[in-house]
Amino acid sequence: MFLCARRYTLAALLLGASGLPSFADRITVFAAASLGGALDDVAQAFEDTTGHDVALSFAGSSVLARQITLGAPADVFLSANTDWMDAVENAGLLADGTRRDFSGNALVMIAPTEQTTPTDFPKTPQSFAAALEGGRLSMALVDAIPSGQYGKAALTHLGLWVDAEPHVVQTDNVRTALALVALGEARLGVVYATDAQAEPKVRVVGQFPTKSHPQITYPGAAIASGDLATATAFLDYLTSGSGQTILQQHGFLPVPEVSE
């Protein structure tokens, strides 16, 4: 987990006459690792618009959910799946009426940019074995981290998991799984499309069918013990036209429609 904190200058804190608050409230946002980059831009835009200060803490959704349930001081939780948000909600820690879905994503298979791997993957166990060539497959924790859970589900649906499992190296979040491929330490990796877009040292060799895994939905909510007013304002900005435009510029998808 890493922390990205922003601080305001005295001049910025005294801009009440311009429509910004005369003092800046500071909130801490616990966010899924896959939101790194995009959320930095959203937070900066929110700060510029409101004068509030945002500290971002990124990690795997499961890690963040556990930290919140253990009392970590967070104002907002942004998860990469609904299960970990449900866990925090079931613990009675979410502020009533603040939970909302704010984005979607796609799941892809990646390889190092310079590696010669067919771009029609994945299709069959034979094509998978040929692409892997006995190397490692990088994934986030398949029983805890959303991208790993989605990846295992997709590979299982396609009949590839039995062949994949002996080669899987698991990481504590999706950005670490991405890094292993970018560094050439894994021949293939399963990440979100947004992760692949953010890293020039990898290329997409195949996108998993949406029906091969549970729908990828990012929910967000304010934590009941935090700064509710500023946290809600941040969530409102995240789901506004401005926030959504920034997310989609980074490759995130609009909020998925609920399947019938």
Side-chain angles (χ1 to χ4, degrees), residues 6 26 30 201 226 250:
R6 302 178 178 83
R26 183 177 186 273
F30 278 23
K201 293 182 180 180
H250 284 265

Side-chain angles (χ1 to χ4, degrees), residues 203-220:
R203 64 189 179 92
V204 174
V205 297
Q207 179 168 321
F208 291 93
T210 56
K211 293 184 178 180
S212 69
H213 55 78
Q215 191 173 62
I216 301 174
T217 303
Y218 288 72

Side-chain angles (χ1 to χ4, degrees), residues 104-140:
N105 215 327
L107 194 69
V108 298
M109 184 73 74
I110 57 170
T113 301
E114 298 179 357
Q115 181 175 294
T116 56
T117 304
T119 57
D120 60 349
F121 178 83
K123 283 188 175 180
T124 66
Q126 291 74 25
S127 65
F128 171 77
L132 193 57
E133 291 186 358
R136 297 197 294 176
L137 172 64
S138 179
M139 300 174 65

Side-chain angles (χ1 to χ4, degrees), residues 15-106:
L15 290 176
S18 67
L20 295 177
S22 57
F23 62 91
D25 291 322
R26 183 177 186 273
I27 58 170
T28 298
V29 177
F30 278 23
S34 56
L35 290 165
L39 195 63
D40 289 284
D41 289 350
V42 172
Q44 185 64 63
F46 174 75
E47 290 180 342
D48 293 343
T49 300
T50 66
H52 297 310
D53 191 14
V54 180
L56 302 174
S57 180
F58 296 99
S61 297
S62 63
V63 173
L64 297 173
R66 290 180 182 126
Q67 289 180 344
I68 292 170
T69 57
L70 290 173
D75 299 286
V76 174
F77 178 37
L78 305 178
S79 175
N81 74 358
T82 57
D83 289 345
W84 289 113
M85 185 64 74
D86 289 344
V88 177
E89 183 169 28
N90 292 338
L93 300 177
L94 299 187
D96 292 342
T98 63
R99 178 172 175 171
R100 79 281 306 266
D101 296 336
F102 65 90
S103 195
N105 215 327

Side-chain angles (χ1 to χ4, degrees), residues 167-233:
H167 302 275
V168 171
V169 54
Q170 300 185 50
T171 66
D172 60 358
N173 65 68
V174 69
R175 287 302 172 94
T176 305
L178 174 72
L180 289 181
V181 179
L183 293 170
E185 295 180 9
R187 186 166 178 82
L188 298 172
V190 178
V191 299
Y192 297 119
T194 51
D195 299 307
Q197 179 175 315
E199 176 50 75
K201 293 182 180 180
V202 306
R203 64 189 179 92
V204 174
V205 297
Q207 179 168 321
F208 291 93
T210 56
K211 293 184 178 180
S212 69
H213 55 78
Q215 191 173 62
I216 301 174
T217 303
Y218 288 72
I223 304 302
S225 60
D227 180 344
L228 183 56
T230 309
T232 301

